[in-house]
Amino acid sequence: MTDFDSRLREKFMRLDAAIPEPAPPAAAAPQRGLNRRRQAMFLLAAAVVFLGVAAVATVAQQRPPTAAEIAASAKDAADEERLRDDLGALTGSACLTASQATDLVNSRLKALGLTGWTIRSDARISQAPCVTLAPSGDTHSVLLVASMGGPVAHALDALGKDLLATCASRDDAVARLREALAANGIADPKIEVGGIRGVPHDDGGAYVAHVKAGCYVLAGAMFDDVGRYTWYVAGP
């Protein structure tokens, strides 16, 4: 529950407690039901008023950014782009460990004069085969993110095209995926086979038609909350 929800609930409780119970009338049951309905309507009206006041207060707190804030935001965006281009030119399609990535980022931040920036990482890369770098000008930080690495990505691109050019069986597709991963340092990969998980932007129609024809294709990969990858094959 959010702070706003808690405050609204608290106001409901105060309003409810402030409404006195009506004196028992001659026809108690019908009259009491009517009063409780009125009480509920009053609480609903109070909620609407409270929500309206909160919305007005939120809008009132918003103000246009100052010239200094606009300039600072523009500088953050420019620094982010500058750092992203710099790191991209140096990393290329490499497979960096977290330690290697940290050393590289620290050296580039110093070289570019971004001394106020930090490096962020957590358990989500603890078992990742490689890491990639995600600069953020808003937070003045570089996040280390799980990655399969450039060599594996290039190998899977080639395999994906090969599987679309031929009609591989389930076992053949899995074996070729396992071989491509092993050749690029991914031993004992977790591979799952199922239906179509998604259609690629390029040649999506051919991709679906290939599966409907009884052939198996590469269906991408996904990492979990510690960076471990699962590789997917799709088929009929």
Side-chain angles (χ1 to χ4, degrees):
M1 181 178 292
T2 64
D3 290 340
F4 180 83
D5 293 330
S6 300
R7 289 187 284 113
L8 180 58
R9 183 177 180 183
E10 182 181 353
K11 286 182 179 292
F12 275 165
M13 294 174 66
R14 289 179 181 175
L15 286 168
D16 191 45
I19 299 174
E21 288 290 335
Q31 184 66 28
R32 182 175 179 81
L34 180 60
N35 285 336
R36 295 306 293 178
R37 284 195 296 273
R38 288 176 179 170
Q39 180 176 335
M41 292 176 64
F42 176 76
L43 288 173
L44 179 59
V48 172
V49 171
F50 178 64
L51 288 169
V53 170
V56 171
T58 300
V59 172
Q61 290 175 359
Q62 295 178 348
R63 58 172 177 77
T66 65
E69 289 170 340
I70 293 175
S73 180
K75 182 179 184 305
D76 288 343
D79 286 343
E80 176 183 320
E81 183 176 1
R82 184 162 60 107
L83 180 58
R84 180 179 291 108
D85 291 345
D86 181 84
L87 292 173
L90 291 172
T91 58
S93 60
C95 176
L96 299 176
T97 65
S99 176
Q100 290 171 334
T102 299
D103 290 343
L104 174 63
V105 173
N106 277 328
S107 67
R108 298 317 301 162
L109 289 176
K110 183 177 181 180
L112 295 173
L114 301 176
T115 55
W117 285 52
T118 59
I119 300 173
R120 294 189 295 127
S121 64
D122 54 31
R124 287 174 291 184
I125 63 169
S126 61
Q127 297 188 41
C130 314
V131 297
T132 189
L133 309 171
S136 170
D138 291 338
T139 60
H140 291 188
S141 64
V142 179
L143 179 64
L144 305 189
V145 183
S147 169
M148 67 179 68
V152 173
H154 293 319
L156 293 188
D157 283 343
L159 175 60
K161 293 176 181 178
D162 288 344
L163 290 176
L164 279 176
T166 59
C167 187
S169 66
R170 173 191 176 111
D171 290 344
D172 184 33
V174 170
R176 290 167 67 180
L177 173 57
R178 194 180 300 277
E179 180 181 357
L181 293 173
N184 289 279
I186 307 295
D188 193 25
K190 180 181 178 182
I191 299 174
E192 293 187 3
V193 182
I196 295 177
R197 297 171 51 85
V199 178
H201 294 294
D202 298 331
D203 297 327
Y207 185 90
V208 173
H210 205 58
V211 173
K212 288 183 177 180
C215 309
Y216 284 78
V217 295
L218 192 63
M222 184 177 296
F223 59 84
D224 61 15
D225 57 358
V226 292
R228 292 173 300 200
Y229 270 84
T230 299
W231 317 88
Y232 297 96
V233 169

